[in-house]
Amino acid sequence: MTLFDEIVSLTKRRGFIFQNSDIYGGLANGWDWGPLGVLLKNNIKQLWWREFVTKREDVVGLDSSIILHPQVWEASGHTKEFSDPLIECRTCHKRFRADDIEGFIGDEGTWNEDVVKTFQCPSCGTKGNMTSPASFNLMFKTFLGASEESANEAFLRPETAQGIFIHFKNIVDTLAPKLPFGIAQIGKAFRNEITPGNFIFRTREFEQMEIEYFIRPEEWEMHFNHWEEELKRWIELVGIDMGKVHFVEVPETERAHYSKKTIDVEFDFPFGRKELYGLAYRGDFDLSNHEKGSKKSLGYYDEASKETFLPHVIEPSLGVERTILALLFSAYKKDVDEKGEERVYLDLPPAVAPYRVAVFPLLSNKPELIEKAKEVYVMLQNKNIPAIFDKGGNIGKRYRRQDEIGTPLCVTIDFESLEDSAVTVRERNTMKQERIAIQDLDSYIRTTTQ
Ligand code: ATP
């Protein structure tokens, strides 16, 4: 089995990720989050929110709708940008407008698909591995109300960012934030990808964590550097292997015309080096387009300079699923267990691991041990330490299970515990065991799993 297959299999076996609509044969390239996966995913989103919203005085949160006014997508350029005939390289997943290729559009305006069949990808150089051209909008279309008329057409958002821009004025009017300030949002985004795949890397439904950080135009470089450092800090904090991460500046020729600087944060996945996150300086492109589109002034009055202007924006854009995929490839480790047998463990930071601690009775058929273990488990739960109670199989099996789901500590209640009110605590990575008094257990867990 390849590393990729081993990880996919672990995520299914342990209840992290299931195929969408599994019992109906599965919906291709769709994935759902099982009981363990939802804990991991929520922990990651909470950690991001805590670091970039709660802990910062200069960032506020927002939760906008998935379906916005269709004019939002007109103004943002999404309606137009995504409705050209597109082809996508099956090797590197770069997309190209087919009508840019010489000879593709014939004299009568018809498509000449043969041109595409032999087309060499300008990005990775692969020849003849393009998808057929499709004039489709990457946005999922739907209809509001009962009748499917074009007047009722609406779209599922392809990114969370535009929901932020359209509430810029509301936030300035209600909270009067001073520049620089950011608006953050976590939520679902939908893209009718031509070639989804590589497990949860590219899906049609995914989650984004985005910040639009509004700044004075002349200060853009300073803030860009700040957010680059913040992204590095985040990558370390969440447990992604920095040795596999590359910050690549996008050359001017490939950048969006409005961006003075864009960085693709890439990760060495087993299927190649691919985009993990994006960091872009977007100028005032979005606010000025929404000002034109809505005919509402979105100018910001700056008390310091006594001027009204459109702030510029720095956008760190992170995918939740790609974070998890990079994290799984970073945290998946193998070594030898207490009995000399090969074991797999997930070296997850405690802050994102589904559980911080597992609590076991040494034997699963001794009511007095089960009762004491339940007592300890409830005590930890009441102290807000995410814990799991496990009495299935023997102790070796339980260690193996907890290692595979990344639980940092395992606590065992044995016969001695009934006498001395102490327990054995085993650490996931080192497998070292220590005897800890039950009354000190929560502070011990807190200090060792910060
Ligand atoms: P790609 O080139 O891989 O399609 P993109 O440049 O279109 O990505 P952005 O529009 O910059 O992506 O979106 C920001 C982030 O959202 C990406 O860096 C990624 O983490 C995530 N993302 C985008 N598309 C998908 C998808 N189809 N599935 C999962 N995550 C995605």
Side-chain angles (χ1 to χ4, degrees), residues 139-156:
M139 289 193 291
F140 278 99
K141 195 186 284 179
T142 187
F143 297 92
L144 300 180
S147 91
E148 294 194 359
E149 290 168 10
S150 59
N152 298 335
E153 221 171 77
F155 302 97
L156 307 189

Side-chain angles (χ1 to χ4, degrees), residues 191 193 201-203 206 208 275-278 317 319 322:
R191 295 182 190 182
E193 297 281 3
F201 177 79
R202 186 182 303 282
T203 50
F206 56 98
Q208 291 186 313
E275 177 173 325
L276 172 64
Y277 301 142
S317 180
R322 287 192 195 175

Side-chain angles (χ1 to χ4, degrees), residues 340-361:
E341 285 167 19
E342 188 183 78
R343 69 155 185 160
V344 165
Y345 66 102
L346 284 188
D347 184 11
L348 298 175
V352 302
Y355 305 106
R356 282 211 186 190
V357 56
V359 182
F360 312 146

Side-chain angles (χ1 to χ4, degrees), residues 129-142:
N129 199 23
M130 293 282 164
T131 59
S132 296
S135 174
F136 79 47
N137 200 304
L138 218 55
M139 289 193 291
F140 278 99
K141 195 186 284 179
T142 187

Side-chain angles (χ1 to χ4, degrees), residues 106-259:
D107 292 340
E108 286 98 61
T110 49
W111 294 353
N112 180 0
E113 294 206 15
D114 288 342
V115 172
V116 169
K117 285 192 186 131
T118 53
F119 184 63
Q120 180 170 21
C121 175
S123 177
C124 73
T126 309
K127 222 171 170 177
N129 199 23
M130 293 282 164
T131 59
S132 296
S135 174
F136 79 47
N137 200 304
L138 218 55
M139 289 193 291
F140 278 99
K141 195 186 284 179
T142 187
F143 297 92
L144 300 180
S147 91
E148 294 194 359
E149 290 168 10
S150 59
N152 298 335
E153 221 171 77
F155 302 97
L156 307 189
R157 66 182 177 199
E159 59 175 39
T160 60
Q162 297 306 320
I164 296 178
F165 291 118
I166 59 171
H167 285 298
F168 173 78
K169 186 173 159 47
N170 278 335
I171 288 174
V172 169
D173 288 350
T174 51
L175 302 181
K178 301 279 170 280
L179 289 180
F181 69 89
I183 305 174
Q185 165 153 245
I186 298 178
K188 289 258 186 184
F190 302 82
R191 295 182 190 182
N192 202 358
E193 297 281 3
I194 312 173
T195 53
N198 286 326
F199 194 31
I200 55 170
F201 177 79
R202 186 182 303 282
T203 50
R204 296 197 168 105
E205 178 176 341
F206 56 98
E207 273 188 273
Q208 291 186 313
M209 307 185 282
E210 295 196 296
I211 299 171
E212 302 305 325
Y213 195 73
F214 298 96
I215 57 168
R216 292 190 178 81
E218 63 277 13
E219 292 174 350
W220 75 268
E221 268 173 308
M222 175 178 89
H223 294 301
F224 194 97
N225 294 340
H226 168 75
W227 283 103
E228 189 176 341
E229 290 311 310
E230 283 295 90
L231 274 183
K232 288 184 184 154
R233 189 173 70 80
W234 162 257
I235 288 166
E236 301 249 11
L237 188 70
V238 80
I240 293 174
D241 181 355
M242 207 38 160
K244 293 187 176 141
V245 176
H246 310 271
F247 279 64
V248 184
E249 191 170 339
V250 178
E252 195 179 344
T253 45
E254 290 172 29
R255 257 189 342 240
H257 64 91
Y258 48 79
S259 177

Side-chain angles (χ1 to χ4, degrees), residues 68-105:
L68 305 174
H69 196 295
Q71 277 183 8
V72 171
W73 309 111
E74 291 283 338
S76 68
H78 283 85
T79 315
K80 195 157 166 274
E81 196 183 318
F82 289 142
S83 51
D84 296 313
L86 289 181
I87 54 171
E88 182 167 317
C89 174
R90 288 197 180 93
T91 309
C92 72
H93 297 294
K94 281 266 167 13
R95 279 182 219 111
F96 306 93
R97 284 172 54 154
D99 52 355
D100 282 344
I101 304 169
E102 216 183 306
F104 173 66
I105 299 202

